[in-house]
């Protein structure tokens, strides 16, 4: 079986940045975009150029500095939006316009107050207009997750005919379950004439905590681009987390799929985005959280010290973490204590370890974590004096 490329479309600077408190200045967007390019993402969605003059300039600047990735600007299916997006990305090495419209009954009736036929016409007109500026035009069917599959297929077929190169199928509201989203992608793959001329893309939100699972279900059913953000930032509960997709594909699917990502940069990309946006990463966040490679219970620590893979499925080096950490708490055992003393250069005998352990558990019951300086004091006051 041949290994297929999965294109990674990073929307941290657009869907991620539209979150309250995450807004970035132009220089910050440019700095992140440069790192994303080195990291190996295939597409950088740099912003929504019509939304403000500042965002227009930021997209323009990103387009000017990015060397490898396609640089994409978002627009609604509105001619003025498309013109402005085209202007903003025009100096990119690989410019892309991302245009689209709501397709679910809820969007058609309540948001856009129109008919399905009108949506079809507007979608086609938008893609044709975008195509007059750039070759690479991505179409999004907003709220595709709740859109009737037959109508969605008609829209997809029409925009492919109009020249769309990528079909984005967003689960805008994070409504779908993995099997439903997978079936939707499979339906489009099997029922849209001309589907081979375009790449199907996932764009999943995390309202039910399913964004990553849905994206992978999409890939397993024919999608070849995944839209995601660093740390899973994004509207409401966020978007699919790039680091999760990257490591699922690398860890579980390397026989089938590959990405161009340099995964040892994952941890530093996570820091960069979190620091620049002032958006902390939860400690137990998969792959990049502070505790993702930390072990604190005695049973797990004993296992990891004997053989890392007993409790770790990812090599920390693969995501840019120096090593797994053995955290000392009241749940830790003798093996962990001896290990941490050894790391500090103190090789304790069995008797010394027994004494140290008594003092350690008393201390650990009083504080959340026992750190190196506590161990040094314990060693000099209770062990060294015995020698
Ligand atoms: O979630 C969504 O539907 C979007 C589109 C604008 C692509 O972000
Ligand atoms: Zn979105």
């Amino acid at each position: 079986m041949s290994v297929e490329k999965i294109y990674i479309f990073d929307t941290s600077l657009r869907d991620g940045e539209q979150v309250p408190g995450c807004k970035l200045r132009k220089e910050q967007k440019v700095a992140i975009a440069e790192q994303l390019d080195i990291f190996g993402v295939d597409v950088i969605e740099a912003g929504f150029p019509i939304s403000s003059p500042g965002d227009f300039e930021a997209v323009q600047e990103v387009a000017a500095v990015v060397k490898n990735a396609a640089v994409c600007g978002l627009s609604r299916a509105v001619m003025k939006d498309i013109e402005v997006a085209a202007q903003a990305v025009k100096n990119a090495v690989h410019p892309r316009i991302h245009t689209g419209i709501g397709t679910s009954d809820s969007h058609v009736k309540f948001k856009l107050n129109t008919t399905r036929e009108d949506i079809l016409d507007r979608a086609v007109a938008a893609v044709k207009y975008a195509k007059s500026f750039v070759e690479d035009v991505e179409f999004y069917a907003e709220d595709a997750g709740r859109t009737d599959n037959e109508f969605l297929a008609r829209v997809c077929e029409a925009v492919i005919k109009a020249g769309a190169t990528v079909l984005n199928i967003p689960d805008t509201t994070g409504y779908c379950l993995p099997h439903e989203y997978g079936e939707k992608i499979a339906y489009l793959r099997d029922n849209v004439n001309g589907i081979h001329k375009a790449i199907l893309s996932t764009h999943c939100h995390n309202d039910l905590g399913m964004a990553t699972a849905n994206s992978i279900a999409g890939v397993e059913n024919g999608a070849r681009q995944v839209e995601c953000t660093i740390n899973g930032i994004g509207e409401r509960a966020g978007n699919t987390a790039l680091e999760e997709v990257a490591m699922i594909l690398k860890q579980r699917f390397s026989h089938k799929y590959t990405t161009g990502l340099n995964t040892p940069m994952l941890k530093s990309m996570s820091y960069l985005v979190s620091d620049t946006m002032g958006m902390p990463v939860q400690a137990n966040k998969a792959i990049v959280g502070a505790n993702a490679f930390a072990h604190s219970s005695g049973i797990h620590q004993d296992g990891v010290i004997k053989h890392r893979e007993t409790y770790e499925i990812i090599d920390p080096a693969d995501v840019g973490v120096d090593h797994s950490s053995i955290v000392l708490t009241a749940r830790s055992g003798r093996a962990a204590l001896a290990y941490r003393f050894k790391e500090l250069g103190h090789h304790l005998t069995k008797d010394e370890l027994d004494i140290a352990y008594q003092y350690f558990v008393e201390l650990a019951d009083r504080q959340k974590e026992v750190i190196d300086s506590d161990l040094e004091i314990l060693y000099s006051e209770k062990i060294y004096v015995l020698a």
Side-chain angles (χ1 to χ4, degrees):
M1 192 193 290
S2 67
V3 174
E4 286 188 67
K5 163 108 182 187
I6 304 299
Y7 294 91
I8 300 295
F9 176 116
D10 181 278
T11 183
S12 306
L13 301 179
R14 198 278 298 170
D15 216 330
E17 199 247 7
Q18 69 196 45
V19 169
C22 286
K23 194 189 159 311
L24 299 174
R25 294 191 309 277
K26 180 172 76 179
E27 320 77 74
Q28 295 174 313
K29 275 201 172 188
V30 169
I32 293 176
E34 283 177 316
Q35 290 306 305
L36 284 169
D37 198 28
I38 295 169
F39 176 40
V41 306
D42 300 287
V43 187
I44 297 172
E45 186 164 51
F48 183 15
I50 192 104
S51 65
S52 74
D55 212 36
F56 175 84
E57 278 177 36
V59 177
Q60 219 176 20
E61 194 83 8
V62 169
V65 300
V66 165
K67 297 188 176 70
N68 308 300
V71 175
C72 172
L74 184 77
S75 75
R76 294 164 297 183
V78 170
M79 301 308 149
K80 185 72 192 158
D81 280 33
I82 295 168
E83 277 162 33
V84 174
Q87 216 19 54
V89 297
K90 83 166 189 252
N91 289 328
V93 179
H94 306 288
R96 177 181 292 186
I97 296 176
H98 189 191
T99 189
I101 194 162
T103 51
S104 66
D105 285 344
S106 162
H107 279 229
V108 175
K109 283 185 199 147
F110 302 116
K111 186 175 126 178
L112 301 160
N113 191 22
T114 186
T115 60
R116 284 184 170 183
E117 295 313 309
D118 180 50
I119 294 292
L120 261 173
D121 292 345
R122 282 155 74 170
V124 167
V127 170
K128 281 192 175 153
Y129 194 48
K131 204 74 187 174
S132 71
F133 297 101
V134 292
E135 178 47 38
D136 191 9
V137 174
E138 172 165 344
F139 175 81
Y140 65 85
E142 198 180 5
D143 204 16
R146 293 187 298 170
T147 301
D148 161 57
N149 282 349
E150 261 181 55
F151 178 58
L152 188 58
R154 279 180 66 203
V155 175
C156 289
E157 203 164 302
V159 296
I160 290 175
K161 270 198 197 127
T165 46
V166 181
L167 295 178
N168 179 11
I169 310 301
D171 185 21
T172 306
T173 56
Y175 172 77
C176 290
L177 300 176
H179 72 276
E180 293 166 340
Y181 191 75
E183 281 161 18
K184 189 172 283 288
I185 298 292
Y187 182 88
L188 298 173
R189 184 197 61 204
D190 296 341
N191 291 283
V192 172
N193 285 322
I195 192 70
H196 60 281
K197 295 187 195 147
I199 292 176
L200 277 164
S201 180
T202 68
H203 178 114
C204 299
H205 280 267
N206 206 29
D207 299 65
L208 292 174
M210 294 291 179
T212 299
N214 285 346
S215 303
I216 298 297
V219 167
E220 281 286 80
N221 284 282
R224 290 294 172 265
Q225 176 178 280
V226 175
E227 306 197 4
C228 45
T229 59
I230 303 282
N231 300 333
I233 52 170
E235 283 281 355
R236 307 180 308 280
N239 286 60
T240 301
L242 180 148
E243 60 277 8
E244 294 172 11
V245 171
M247 290 317 292
I248 292 169
L249 296 181
K250 186 164 181 170
Q251 188 66 14
R252 303 300 309 275
F253 290 103
S254 60
H255 57 296
K256 287 202 220 171
Y257 311 124
T258 183
T259 69
L261 297 171
N262 177 21
T263 65
M265 280 181 72
L266 279 170
K267 187 73 181 184
S268 61
M269 290 306 303
S270 165
Y271 273 137
L272 176 68
V273 169
S274 151
D275 276 8
T276 316
M277 290 190 169
M279 189 74 164
V281 175
Q282 72 194 54
N284 60 329
K285 170 78 192 61
I287 319 294
V288 292
N291 291 348
F293 296 94
H295 305 272
S296 61
S297 91
I299 297 171
H300 290 207
Q301 291 175 329
D302 183 48
V304 169
I305 290 167
K306 286 176 177 145
H307 185 68
R308 188 188 59 75
E309 286 171 24
T310 52
Y311 287 95
E312 271 182 9
I313 58 155
I314 295 169
D315 182 346
D318 265 354
V319 306
V321 173
D322 286 348
H323 53 74
S324 332
S325 44
I326 300 293
V327 181
L328 293 179
T329 71
R331 305 292 156 258
S332 302
R334 280 177 170 70
L337 185 62
Y339 174 86
R340 286 284 300 274
F341 268 125
K342 208 162 122 193
E343 282 198 323
L344 294 172
H346 306 307
H347 298 259
L348 272 55
T349 63
K350 187 179 171 310
D351 289 345
E352 286 170 339
L353 184 61
D354 284 343
I355 297 168
Y357 191 70
Q358 294 307 320
Y359 289 107
F360 161 74
V361 280
E362 280 172 28
L363 182 64
D365 259 342
R366 278 184 270 122
Q367 55 193 56
K368 280 193 176 167
E369 189 183 332
V370 174
I371 59 175
D372 285 354
S373 55
D374 297 319
L375 293 184
E376 290 291 12
I377 294 169
L378 197 160
Y379 183 80
S380 57
E381 290 184 356
K382 309 293 179 193
I383 308 296
Y384 183 71
V385 288
L386 297 176

